[in-house]
Amino acid sequence: MATEVILPKWGLTMEEGNLSVWLKKEGDRVEAGEIIAEVETEKIRNELEAPVSGVISKILVEEGTEEIEVGTVLCLIDED
């Protein structure tokens, strides 16, 4: 089963963010809580954590993409 990794809402006024860099790529194994990407907002650069352990099966948003809406699916992780 694949888990959708979404852009979370880190603040009350946050509506969008920019995907700065993927720290993992498709096919990489990740552990729950491991940092997989960096996202910039108007106020801060945040680290996106894997919500589950598994393998990144598909990256849906490329590095450098700007103005991503909160709730957008960024990647899929196939769970163990």
Side-chain angles (χ1 to χ4, degrees), residues 3 30-33 49-54 77-79:
T3 297
V30 297
E31 298 299 323
E49 296 179 358
V52 295
S53 296
I77 297 177
D78 286 337
E79 297 180 56

Side-chain angles (χ1 to χ4, degrees), residues 10 12 14 20 30 37-38 41 44 52 57 59 61 72-73 75:
W10 281 304
L12 292 175
M14 182 180 166
S20 302
V30 297
E38 293 180 355
T41 65
I44 194 166
V52 295
S57 59
I59 290 179
V61 177
T72 298
V73 179
C75 74

